[in-house]
Amino acid sequence: MGLWGTGRQRSDTELLAAHVAGDRHAFAELFRRHHRQLYRLARLTSLSREDADDAFQDAMLSAHRSAGSFRCDAAVGTWLHRIVLNACLDRLRRTQARPTVPFQDVHPVADRTSHVDTAIVVQRALLRLPIQQRAAVVAVDMHGYSVAETARLLGVPEGTVKSRCARGRTKLAYLLGYLEMIGAT
């Protein structure tokens, strides 16, 4: 039976409120519910696994500490998504502000399944998009957020999200070779 005695699962909002009220286990449950999607977002918007791990950890600590400031003007999942995205963008900005060595594109040993090969190619292509386009494409096309939700997440007008998605998709198509194939037919 659930903690409320009814056997029902608490909503994300109820879990966040319980965490703020001192329930030591509520945030852990919220984390379990959203971990996979949020970590995937961190991986897609970071330059390396290490950066994704660090940004994800920073984001979860931030969410844990700032839960009391949640205003209920969006879904808890959307709020968490925004925190992870901001942590990744902050890490990317800090990385870009420091002098770096040129990126060495090391080709990993390819898995024999076409699914993994395709995922690697798409991941690399995504990393070549400007961060604003990548954030919009990932939110809309990979996480299923609407243009309006993505605009709120990124703090930009809906038209900006639409144009970033359109430009990002076009560049992805080019990077993945689809536009060249269409032109050759």
Side-chain angles (χ1 to χ4, degrees):
M1 202 175 276
L3 295 174
W4 296 89
T6 63
R8 76 169 180 84
Q9 208 178 31
R10 293 189 281 180
S11 72
D12 288 350
T13 305
E14 290 169 335
L15 284 170
L16 196 60
H19 164 67
V20 171
D23 181 336
R24 295 180 336 166
H25 305 287
F27 194 83
E29 176 59 30
L30 195 59
F31 177 81
R32 277 190 292 278
R33 282 185 192 173
H34 295 277
H35 174 265
R36 287 180 63 125
Q37 182 179 19
L38 294 173
Y39 184 71
R40 184 169 180 244
L41 171 66
R43 286 288 291 135
L44 289 170
T45 54
S46 298
L47 294 175
S48 69
R49 180 177 296 278
E50 293 79 19
D51 283 347
D53 290 345
D54 290 345
F56 184 69
Q57 182 176 355
D58 291 347
M60 290 300 96
L61 286 171
S62 176
H64 188 271
R65 290 179 184 142
S66 65
S69 67
F70 178 68
R71 296 185 310 266
C72 296
D73 56 352
V76 173
T78 303
W79 176 71
L80 290 169
H81 188 279
R82 174 81 184 228
I83 291 172
V84 170
L85 184 61
N86 284 338
C88 293
L89 293 174
D90 288 346
R91 185 162 291 280
L92 282 169
R93 283 185 205 105
R94 283 194 304 267
T95 301
Q96 290 173 351
R98 292 187 305 242
T100 58
V101 296
F103 178 69
Q104 298 295 319
D105 191 13
V106 178
H107 299 282
V109 175
D111 191 337
R112 303 232 184 255
T113 65
S114 64
H115 178 75
V116 172
D117 289 340
T118 301
I120 290 169
V121 169
V122 171
Q123 175 78 17
R124 285 185 181 158
L126 275 170
L127 289 175
R128 293 182 62 189
L129 291 180
I131 188 62
Q132 297 87 359
Q133 290 175 10
R134 186 182 334 150
V137 168
V138 167
V140 173
D141 294 337
M142 301 182 95
H143 287 282
Y145 286 98
S146 69
V147 170
E149 290 170 321
T150 301
R152 281 192 302 275
L153 280 171
L154 299 177
V156 298
E158 289 182 31
T160 301
V161 171
K162 290 177 185 177
S163 65
R164 286 178 181 176
C165 283
R167 288 187 192 114
R169 289 174 189 135
T170 300
K171 186 164 184 179
L172 276 176
Y174 175 77
L175 291 170
L176 296 172
Y178 291 117
L179 292 182
E180 293 167 358
M181 289 189 310
I182 292 170
T185 58

